């Protein structure tokens, strides 16, 4: 057996400081926006404001976690915002009206836990539809989820003829009086939405890094054909990521309806854009195969803090939209630059080992 000689210190490629900075760009961006708004916006670091911002960030982070898995497989899910609106309306309908069973002439009301379960199931079912369109009918993810975006939003509007379901305070008689606690309650002083984000975030990170399914998700995004040839069930993997994305969107729909104690069919409009922005800013590659849940959550904090900070400074909502768009473009440009730098370093290492 012949061993190749190790690269000498003179030929061994050095670690690139630029690459280290690029990989840490999301964390650096988070520090930068926090530092800037600490000086520019009054009371930015007050405890009350930090709690409010964390709750806002949680909504975007849920969607971004689901979106990360979808993008890692090389797909996209434009329907998450509409799923938020639809699931909020489903929850509102169940709290106020229950379900009328025509053939027995009675209306069935569900308690809070059952309403949560049904609402989450609706989100998963929309994800199933997305997955089937993409895997069975070979519809491009962009087109498939664009279609379900309109369908879900239309169903949300039809459920109330475009009106709001108000006063979702629930009823002790039906066991729904705890519904507002989903968005306004606390566990050991921590808002329920933040606790839920911690659970979902840790679960998603573990799934991505420590389970065969997580490895399959990255393999499908890296090279779908190679993944299929290696025995990975590509279609099942894709089905899972869209179902999980729908599940995360349903959580947001429940939280928003509970926080507002009302549900409106327009809830969630443009939420998908913030989710994509957070995932991309967190290092998820739009070409698939690369992304981290931790980076995505930090990206969600950057987007959320940026939005709330601009509001506190009194910046026009129109300019806020412009700034978010520029952030997305910058994130993609930096990601492309990082990929080119990594490829160049990899080639240098191969050349050094071949000497």
């Amino acid at each position: 057996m012949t061993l190749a000689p190790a690269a000498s210190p003179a030929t061994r490629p050095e670690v690139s400081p630029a690459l280290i900075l690029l990989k840490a760009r999301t964390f650096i961006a988070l520090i930068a926006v926090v530092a800037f708004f600490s000086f520019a916006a009054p009371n930015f670091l007050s405890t009350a404001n930090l709690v409010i911002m964390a709750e806002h960030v949680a909504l975007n982070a849920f969607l971004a976690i689901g979106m990360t898995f979808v993008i890692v497989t090389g797909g996209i899910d434009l329907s998450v915002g509409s799923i938020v609106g639809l699931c909020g309306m489903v929850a509102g309908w169940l709290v106020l009206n229950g379900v009328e069973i025509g053939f027995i002439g009675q209306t069935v009301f569900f308690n809070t836990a059952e309403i949560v379960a049904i609402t989450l199931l609706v989100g998963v079912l929309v994800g199933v539809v997305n997955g089937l369109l993409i895997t069975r009918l070979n519809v491009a993810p962009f087109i498939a989820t664009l279609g379900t975006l309109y369908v879900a939003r239309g169903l949300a509007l039809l459920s109330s003829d475009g009106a709001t379901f108000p006063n979702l305070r629930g009823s002790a008689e039906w066991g729904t009086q705890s519904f507002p606690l989903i968005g306004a309650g606390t566990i050991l002083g921590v808002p329920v939405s933040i606790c839920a984000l911690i659970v979902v975030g840790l679960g998603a990170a573990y799934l991505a890094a420590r389970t065969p399914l997580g490895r399959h998700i990255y393999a499908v995004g890296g090279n779908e054909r190679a993944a299929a040839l290696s025995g990975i069930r590509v279609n099942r993997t894709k089905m899972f990521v869209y179902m999980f994305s729908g599940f995360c969107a349903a959580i947001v729909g429940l939280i928003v309806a509970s926080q507002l104690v009302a549900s409106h069919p327009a809830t969630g409009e443009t939420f998908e854009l913030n989710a994509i922005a957070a995932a991309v800013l967190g290092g998820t590659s739009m070409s698939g195969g690369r992304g981290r849940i931790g980076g995505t959550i930090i990206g969600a904090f950057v987007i959320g803090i940026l939005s709330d900070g601009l509001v506190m400074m009194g910046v026009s909502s129109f300019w806020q939209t412009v700034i978010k768009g520029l952030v997305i473009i910058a994130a993609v440009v930096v990601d492309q630059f990082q990929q080119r730098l990594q490829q160049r370093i990899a080639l240098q290492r191969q050349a050094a080992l071949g000497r």
Side-chain angles (χ1 to χ4, degrees):
M1 181 175 62
T2 302
L3 296 178
S8 66
T11 60
R12 187 181 297 119
E14 298 181 357
V15 177
S16 171
L19 183 58
I20 295 175
L21 289 174
L22 286 173
K23 288 184 176 181
R25 64 184 182 274
T26 312
F27 188 68
I28 294 171
L30 178 61
I31 294 174
V33 295
V34 170
F36 174 77
F37 288 121
S38 298
F39 291 101
N43 300 321
F44 178 79
L45 293 180
S46 66
T47 302
N49 187 58
L50 290 176
V51 171
I52 293 173
M53 284 196 299
E55 290 180 319
H56 291 170
V57 168
L59 300 180
N60 190 30
F62 279 118
L63 298 179
I65 290 171
M67 188 69 72
T68 297
F69 282 129
V70 171
I71 295 176
V72 165
T73 63
I76 196 74
D77 189 354
L78 300 179
S79 65
V80 291
S82 295
I83 297 174
V84 169
L86 175 61
C87 288
M89 295 302 288
V90 168
W93 179 286
L94 293 175
V95 171
L96 290 181
N97 304 319
V99 176
E100 185 176 349
I101 310 298
F103 64 90
I104 64 174
Q106 292 186 350
T107 300
V108 177
F109 284 88
F110 301 94
N111 61 36
T112 300
E114 292 166 341
I115 290 173
V116 169
I118 293 171
T119 304
L120 294 176
L121 179 61
V122 170
V124 171
L125 288 176
V126 178
V128 169
V129 173
N130 283 332
L132 290 174
L133 288 172
I134 292 164
T135 61
R136 300 300 181 185
L137 299 181
N138 294 320
V139 180
F142 182 91
I143 300 301
T145 58
L146 180 64
T148 50
L149 177 154
Y150 284 111
V151 171
R153 185 66 67 191
L155 291 174
L157 291 164
L158 286 170
S159 66
S160 64
D161 289 331
T164 299
F165 286 138
N167 194 26
L168 302 182
R169 300 189 182 280
S171 167
E173 181 181 1
W174 309 117
T176 55
Q177 74 278 11
S178 59
F179 181 77
L181 296 179
I182 298 173
T186 60
I187 299 175
L188 300 177
V190 181
V192 172
S193 58
I194 304 300
C195 294
L197 175 61
I198 292 172
V199 172
V200 173
L202 290 176
Y206 179 82
L207 185 151
R210 302 290 183 181
T211 67
L213 177 57
R215 292 191 289 272
H216 293 174
I217 290 171
Y218 284 94
V220 169
N223 189 321
E224 184 174 324
R225 180 168 176 77
L229 291 174
S230 66
I232 294 174
R233 296 179 175 178
V234 173
N235 286 348
R236 288 192 179 185
T237 303
K238 288 185 176 181
M239 283 289 296
F240 169 80
V241 299
Y242 285 99
M243 290 167 62
F244 184 71
S245 181
F247 173 81
C248 291
I251 294 176
V252 176
L254 279 167
I255 292 174
V256 173
S258 176
Q259 286 177 339
L260 300 177
V261 199
S263 54
H264 190 276
T267 300
E269 287 184 346
T270 73
F271 276 24
E272 62 275 1
L273 302 182
N274 285 338
I276 294 171
V280 172
L281 189 60
T284 303
S285 174
M286 292 299 293
S287 58
R290 182 163 55 85
R292 297 180 64 121
I293 299 300
T296 292
I297 293 176
I298 295 175
F301 270 92
V302 172
I303 296 296
I305 291 173
L306 183 64
S307 298
D308 286 5
L310 291 173
V311 170
M312 294 182 69
M313 290 180 62
V315 177
S316 164
S317 60
F318 306 131
W319 276 111
Q320 292 180 38
T321 304
V322 172
I323 293 170
K324 286 181 183 179
L326 292 174
V327 168
I328 295 173
I329 294 172
V332 173
V333 170
V334 171
D335 180 72
Q336 293 297 316
F337 180 73
Q338 177 185 337
Q339 289 189 49
R340 289 195 296 269
L341 183 58
Q342 286 177 322
Q343 290 172 356
R344 189 168 68 226
I345 292 174
L347 290 173
Q348 290 175 351
R349 287 177 177 172
Q350 289 178 359
L353 291 173
R355 291 176 183 176

